[in-house]
C-alpha cells in the first residue's frame, strides 16, 4: 500500500484543452497545456503543432500551491502553457499529442471553416495581397501591395514582414489611414513592395498572417493596448503565384528590363575651347525606373589615339518611389 501511494504521488499528468473546437480560417484559438510538475519550457516540442497551425504566442507559467489538511502538509507545482494558434488551412486539423517525461496528452481535432472574405461587421479583420502581374522575366520588377483592414475596436495589431527566397524584395512604402465602408470605420495599413526575381521558375507568395485583440477596452470605453483580456483574432491573405521566365535572347547585349530609362550627359568645361594637355571631365548619369542601380550596365569606354581616358569609380544609388525602385548610376571619365 505504501509503495502504491508513493508511486501515485510521483506520477505526473499532462492534459490539453482548447477554448473552441470550431473556428473560421480568420480566427485564433487558445490551447492550454497543464503539467502537474515543474519542468523546463524546452521540454515542450511544438514542431508537429506548427504543421497545421501558426503559433502566435507561447506563455509559460509555473505556480505553487500549499495545502494543510488535518495537520498534513502538501505542496503541488503546476506548469501551464497558454498557446495562441491560427489555423493554416480549412478542414479538420489536429492538435497533436504532447509528450513530457513519458506523460502524453490527448490529441484534439479542430474544425476550420472558410471566412466570408468581405469587410463587414462579422469580419473584423481582412488582409488582401495583390501583385502587379502574374508573369515576369528574370530581373523585371513586380509591385506587390499588402493591405490590412481592421475595425477600430481592434488593438495590438501585429504581423510579419513579407519575405521571399530567390528574389530581391524591397519595402517601398508603408501608410496608415482610416476608411469607412458600409457605415463601419476601419483602420487600414498598406505595404508596397518591389519584387525583382533573380532566377526562372515559380515564386510562391505564402499567405500573410496578421493578428490583433478585440474587445480589450479601458474603463473609459476606448481600446486599451495594455489590456490583454480581449479575444485575439487573426486574418490572412490568399497565397499568390508568379511565373518567372528566363531572359529573352538579347544578341549578346546585357539584359536590362526597366519601365523607363533616362540618360543625361554633362561636361566640366567648355568643349568648344578644348586645349591639348588640359583635362575635361564627362559625367554620364543613367536613371532607370523599375530597376536597381547595380543592374544598370556600365557604359563602354571609347578608345582613341587622340586622347586618354581615366574612369572614376561609378556611383550607385537606389531610391524608392510610387513606381518602384529607381536605380541611378553615375559615371565620370
Amino acid at each position: 500500500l505504501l509503495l502504491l501511494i508513493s508511486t501515485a504521488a510521483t506520477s505526473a499528468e499532462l492534459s490539453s484543452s482548447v477554448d473552441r473546437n470550431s473556428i473560421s480560417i480568420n480566427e485564433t484559438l487558445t490551447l492550454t497545456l497543464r503539467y502537474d510538475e515543474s519542468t523546463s519550457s524546452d521540454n515542450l516540442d511544438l514542431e508537429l503543432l506548427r504543421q497545421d497551425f501558426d503559433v502566435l504566442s507561447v506563455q509559460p507559467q509555473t505556480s505553487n500551491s500549499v495545502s494543510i489538511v488535518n495537520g498534513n502538509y502538501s505542496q503541488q507545482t503546476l506548469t501551464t502553457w497558454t498557446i495562441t494558434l491560427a489555423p493554416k488551412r480549412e478542414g479538420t486539423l489536429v492538435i497533436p499529442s504532447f509528450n513530457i517525461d513519458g506523460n502524453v496528452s490527448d490529441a484534439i481535432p479542430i474544425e476550420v471553416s472558410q471566412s466570408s472574405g468581405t469587410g463587414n461587421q462579422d469580419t473584423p479583420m481582412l488582409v488582401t495581397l495583390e501583385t502587379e502581374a502574374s508573369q515576369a522575366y528574370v530581373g523585371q520588377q513586380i509591385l506587390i501591395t499588402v493591405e490590412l483592414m481592421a475595425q477600430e475596436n481592434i488593438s495590438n495589431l501585429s504581423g510579419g514582414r513579407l519575405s521571399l527566397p530567390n528574389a530581391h524584395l524591397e519595402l517601398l512604402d508603408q501608410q496608415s489611414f482610416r476608411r469607412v465602408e458600409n457605415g463601419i470605420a476601419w483602420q487600414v495599413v498598406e505595404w508596397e513592395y518591389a519584387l525583382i526575381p533573380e532566377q526562372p521558375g515559380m515564386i510562391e507568395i505564402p499567405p500573410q498572417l496578421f493578428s490583433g485583440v478585440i474587445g480589450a477596452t479601458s474603463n473609459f470605453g476606448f481600446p486599451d493596448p495594455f489590456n490583454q483580456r480581449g479575444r485575439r483574432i487573426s486574418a490572412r491573405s490568399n497565397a499568390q503565384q508568379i511565373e518567372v521566365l528566363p531572359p529573352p535572347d538579347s544578341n549578346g547585349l546585357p539584359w536590362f528590363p526597366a519601365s523607363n530609362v533616362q540618360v543625361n550627359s554633362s561636361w566640366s568645361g567648355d568643349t568648344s575651347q578644348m586645349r591639348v594637355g588640359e583635362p575635361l571631365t564627362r559625367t554620364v548619369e543613367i536613371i532607370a525606373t523599375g530597376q536597381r542601380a547595380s543592374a544598370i550596365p556600365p557604359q563602354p569606354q571609347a578608345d582613341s589615339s587622340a586622347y586618354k581616358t581615366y574612369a572614376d569609380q561609378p556611383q550607385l544609388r537606389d531610391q524608392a518611389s510610387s513606381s518602384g525602385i529607381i536605380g541611378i548610376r553615375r559615371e565620370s571619365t
Side-chain angles (χ1 to χ4, degrees), residues 33 39 50 60 130 147 201 224 229 308:
L33 291 173
T39 185
R50 296 181 192 275
E130 296 182 353
E147 182 183 84
D224 182 4
R229 291 176 296 176
K308 294 180 180 180

mmCIF file with all atom_site columns, all heavy atoms in Angstrom, residues 33 39 50 60 130 147 201 224 229 308:
data_model
loop_
_atom_site.group_PDB
_atom_site.id
_atom_site.type_symbol
_atom_site.label_atom_id
_atom_site.label_alt_id
_atom_site.label_comp_id
_atom_site.label_asym_id
_atom_site.label_entity_id
_atom_site.label_seq_id
_atom_site.pdbx_PDB_ins_code
_atom_site.Cartn_x
_atom_site.Cartn_y
_atom_site.Cartn_z
_atom_site.occupancy
_atom_site.B_iso_or_equiv
_atom_site.pdbx_formal_charge
_atom_site.auth_seq_id
_atom_site.auth_comp_id
_atom_site.auth_asym_id
_atom_site.auth_atom_id
_atom_site.pdbx_PDB_model_num
ATOM 1  N N   . LEU A 1 33  ? -2.021  23.848 -22.043 1.00 0.00 ? 33  LEU A N   1
ATOM 2  C CA  . LEU A 1 33  ? -1.379  22.612 -21.602 1.00 0.00 ? 33  LEU A CA  1
ATOM 3  C C   . LEU A 1 33  ? -1.065  22.729 -20.121 1.00 0.00 ? 33  LEU A C   1
ATOM 4  O O   . LEU A 1 33  ? -0.483  23.737 -19.679 1.00 0.00 ? 33  LEU A O   1
ATOM 5  C CB  . LEU A 1 33  ? -0.091  22.352 -22.390 1.00 0.00 ? 33  LEU A CB  1
ATOM 6  C CG  . LEU A 1 33  ? -0.237  21.998 -23.875 1.00 0.00 ? 33  LEU A CG  1
ATOM 7  C CD1 . LEU A 1 33  ? 1.120   21.938 -24.544 1.00 0.00 ? 33  LEU A CD1 1
ATOM 8  C CD2 . LEU A 1 33  ? -0.955  20.667 -24.043 1.00 0.00 ? 33  LEU A CD2 1
ATOM 9  N N   . THR A 1 39  ? 8.785   21.835 -14.824 1.00 0.00 ? 39  THR A N   1
ATOM 10 C CA  . THR A 1 39  ? 9.615   21.375 -15.939 1.00 0.00 ? 39  THR A CA  1
ATOM 11 C C   . THR A 1 39  ? 10.061  22.578 -16.756 1.00 0.00 ? 39  THR A C   1
ATOM 12 O O   . THR A 1 39  ? 9.456   23.656 -16.682 1.00 0.00 ? 39  THR A O   1
ATOM 13 C CB  . THR A 1 39  ? 8.862   20.373 -16.825 1.00 0.00 ? 39  THR A CB  1
ATOM 14 O OG1 . THR A 1 39  ? 9.742   19.856 -17.829 1.00 0.00 ? 39  THR A OG1 1
ATOM 15 C CG2 . THR A 1 39  ? 7.683   21.033 -17.506 1.00 0.00 ? 39  THR A CG2 1
ATOM 16 N N   . ARG A 1 50  ? 3.132   22.984 -35.461 1.00 0.00 ? 50  ARG A N   1
ATOM 17 C CA  . ARG A 1 50  ? 3.353   24.008 -36.483 1.00 0.00 ? 50  ARG A CA  1
ATOM 18 C C   . ARG A 1 50  ? 3.012   23.518 -37.892 1.00 0.00 ? 50  ARG A C   1
ATOM 19 O O   . ARG A 1 50  ? 2.973   24.321 -38.820 1.00 0.00 ? 50  ARG A O   1
ATOM 20 C CB  . ARG A 1 50  ? 4.803   24.480 -36.442 1.00 0.00 ? 50  ARG A CB  1
ATOM 21 C CG  . ARG A 1 50  ? 5.185   25.170 -35.132 1.00 0.00 ? 50  ARG A CG  1
ATOM 22 C CD  . ARG A 1 50  ? 6.624   25.633 -35.160 1.00 0.00 ? 50  ARG A CD  1
ATOM 23 N NE  . ARG A 1 50  ? 7.107   26.048 -33.854 1.00 0.00 ? 50  ARG A NE  1
ATOM 24 C CZ  . ARG A 1 50  ? 6.938   27.250 -33.329 1.00 0.00 ? 50  ARG A CZ  1
ATOM 25 N NH1 . ARG A 1 50  ? 6.307   28.181 -34.035 1.00 0.00 ? 50  ARG A NH1 1
ATOM 26 N NH2 . ARG A 1 50  ? 7.401   27.544 -32.128 1.00 0.00 ? 50  ARG A NH2 1
ATOM 27 N N   . PRO A 1 60  ? 4.452   30.543 -20.958 1.00 0.00 ? 60  PRO A N   1
ATOM 28 C CA  . PRO A 1 60  ? 4.604   29.543 -19.902 1.00 0.00 ? 60  PRO A CA  1
ATOM 29 C C   . PRO A 1 60  ? 4.443   30.169 -18.522 1.00 0.00 ? 60  PRO A C   1
ATOM 30 O O   . PRO A 1 60  ? 4.732   31.353 -18.314 1.00 0.00 ? 60  PRO A O   1
ATOM 31 C CB  . PRO A 1 60  ? 6.038   29.031 -20.116 1.00 0.00 ? 60  PRO A CB  1
ATOM 32 C CG  . PRO A 1 60  ? 6.751   30.183 -20.736 1.00 0.00 ? 60  PRO A CG  1
ATOM 33 C CD  . PRO A 1 60  ? 5.738   30.959 -21.532 1.00 0.00 ? 60  PRO A CD  1
ATOM 34 N N   . GLU A 1 130 ? -2.093  41.785 -53.428 1.00 0.00 ? 130 GLU A N   1
ATOM 35 C CA  . GLU A 1 130 ? -2.250  41.935 -54.872 1.00 0.00 ? 130 GLU A CA  1
ATOM 36 C C   . GLU A 1 130 ? -0.883  42.095 -55.516 1.00 0.00 ? 130 GLU A C   1
ATOM 37 O O   . GLU A 1 130 ? -0.027  42.816 -55.004 1.00 0.00 ? 130 GLU A O   1
ATOM 38 C CB  . GLU A 1 130 ? -3.132  43.136 -55.215 1.00 0.00 ? 130 GLU A CB  1
ATOM 39 C CG  . GLU A 1 130 ? -4.575  43.011 -54.728 1.00 0.00 ? 130 GLU A CG  1
ATOM 40 C CD  . GLU A 1 130 ? -5.416  44.203 -55.133 1.00 0.00 ? 130 GLU A CD  1
ATOM 41 O OE1 . GLU A 1 130 ? -4.837  45.173 -55.681 1.00 0.00 ? 130 GLU A OE1 1
ATOM 42 O OE2 . GLU A 1 130 ? -6.641  44.174 -54.913 1.00 0.00 ? 130 GLU A OE2 1
ATOM 43 N N   . GLU A 1 147 ? -2.562  44.835 -47.944 1.00 0.00 ? 147 GLU A N   1
ATOM 44 C CA  . GLU A 1 147 ? -3.447  45.761 -47.219 1.00 0.00 ? 147 GLU A CA  1
ATOM 45 C C   . GLU A 1 147 ? -4.114  45.041 -46.058 1.00 0.00 ? 147 GLU A C   1
ATOM 46 O O   . GLU A 1 147 ? -4.689  43.970 -46.210 1.00 0.00 ? 147 GLU A O   1
ATOM 47 C CB  . GLU A 1 147 ? -4.514  46.335 -48.148 1.00 0.00 ? 147 GLU A CB  1
ATOM 48 C CG  . GLU A 1 147 ? -5.423  47.344 -47.464 1.00 0.00 ? 147 GLU A CG  1
ATOM 49 C CD  . GLU A 1 147 ? -6.521  47.861 -48.372 1.00 0.00 ? 147 GLU A CD  1
ATOM 50 O OE1 . GLU A 1 147 ? -7.565  47.185 -48.478 1.00 0.00 ? 147 GLU A OE1 1
ATOM 51 O OE2 . GLU A 1 147 ? -6.329  48.932 -48.960 1.00 0.00 ? 147 GLU A OE2 1
ATOM 52 N N   . GLY A 1 201 ? 11.419  30.270 -62.818 1.00 0.00 ? 201 GLY A N   1
ATOM 53 C CA  . GLY A 1 201 ? 10.646  29.295 -62.055 1.00 0.00 ? 201 GLY A CA  1
ATOM 54 C C   . GLY A 1 201 ? 9.392   29.932 -61.495 1.00 0.00 ? 201 GLY A C   1
ATOM 55 O O   . GLY A 1 201 ? 8.955   30.999 -61.931 1.00 0.00 ? 201 GLY A O   1
ATOM 56 N N   . ASP A 1 224 ? -7.781  49.704 -25.162 1.00 0.00 ? 224 ASP A N   1
ATOM 57 C CA  . ASP A 1 224 ? -6.667  49.787 -24.220 1.00 0.00 ? 224 ASP A CA  1
ATOM 58 C C   . ASP A 1 224 ? -5.573  48.835 -24.666 1.00 0.00 ? 224 ASP A C   1
ATOM 59 O O   . ASP A 1 224 ? -5.720  47.625 -24.555 1.00 0.00 ? 224 ASP A O   1
ATOM 60 C CB  . ASP A 1 224 ? -7.148  49.415 -22.816 1.00 0.00 ? 224 ASP A CB  1
ATOM 61 C CG  . ASP A 1 224 ? -6.044  49.531 -21.773 1.00 0.00 ? 224 ASP A CG  1
ATOM 62 O OD1 . ASP A 1 224 ? -4.953  49.977 -22.143 1.00 0.00 ? 224 ASP A OD1 1
ATOM 63 O OD2 . ASP A 1 224 ? -6.294  49.179 -20.605 1.00 0.00 ? 224 ASP A OD2 1
ATOM 64 N N   . ARG A 1 229 ? -7.180  41.245 -21.938 1.00 0.00 ? 229 ARG A N   1
ATOM 65 C CA  . ARG A 1 229 ? -8.313  40.370 -21.643 1.00 0.00 ? 229 ARG A CA  1
ATOM 66 C C   . ARG A 1 229 ? -9.238  40.183 -22.836 1.00 0.00 ? 229 ARG A C   1
ATOM 67 O O   . ARG A 1 229 ? -10.167 39.393 -22.778 1.00 0.00 ? 229 ARG A O   1
ATOM 68 C CB  . ARG A 1 229 ? -9.095  40.933 -20.455 1.00 0.00 ? 229 ARG A CB  1
ATOM 69 C CG  . ARG A 1 229 ? -8.325  40.852 -19.148 1.00 0.00 ? 229 ARG A CG  1
ATOM 70 C CD  . ARG A 1 229 ? -9.095  41.519 -18.028 1.00 0.00 ? 229 ARG A CD  1
ATOM 71 N NE  . ARG A 1 229 ? -9.263  42.952 -18.276 1.00 0.00 ? 229 ARG A NE  1
ATOM 72 C CZ  . ARG A 1 229 ? -9.962  43.760 -17.492 1.00 0.00 ? 229 ARG A CZ  1
ATOM 73 N NH1 . ARG A 1 229 ? -10.568 43.280 -16.432 1.00 0.00 ? 229 ARG A NH1 1
ATOM 74 N NH2 . ARG A 1 229 ? -10.059 45.047 -17.780 1.00 0.00 ? 229 ARG A NH2 1
ATOM 75 N N   . LYS A 1 308 ? 43.425  60.399 -73.978 1.00 0.00 ? 308 LYS A N   1
ATOM 76 C CA  . LYS A 1 308 ? 43.492  59.342 -72.979 1.00 0.00 ? 308 LYS A CA  1
ATOM 77 C C   . LYS A 1 308 ? 42.310  59.496 -72.026 1.00 0.00 ? 308 LYS A C   1
ATOM 78 O O   . LYS A 1 308 ? 41.895  60.625 -71.722 1.00 0.00 ? 308 LYS A O   1
ATOM 79 C CB  . LYS A 1 308 ? 44.800  59.416 -72.194 1.00 0.00 ? 308 LYS A CB  1
ATOM 80 C CG  . LYS A 1 308 ? 46.042  59.138 -73.035 1.00 0.00 ? 308 LYS A CG  1
ATOM 81 C CD  . LYS A 1 308 ? 47.300  59.230 -72.187 1.00 0.00 ? 308 LYS A CD  1
ATOM 82 C CE  . LYS A 1 308 ? 48.544  58.961 -73.035 1.00 0.00 ? 308 LYS A CE  1
ATOM 83 N NZ  . LYS A 1 308 ? 49.805  59.046 -72.227 1.00 0.00 ? 308 LYS A NZ  1
#
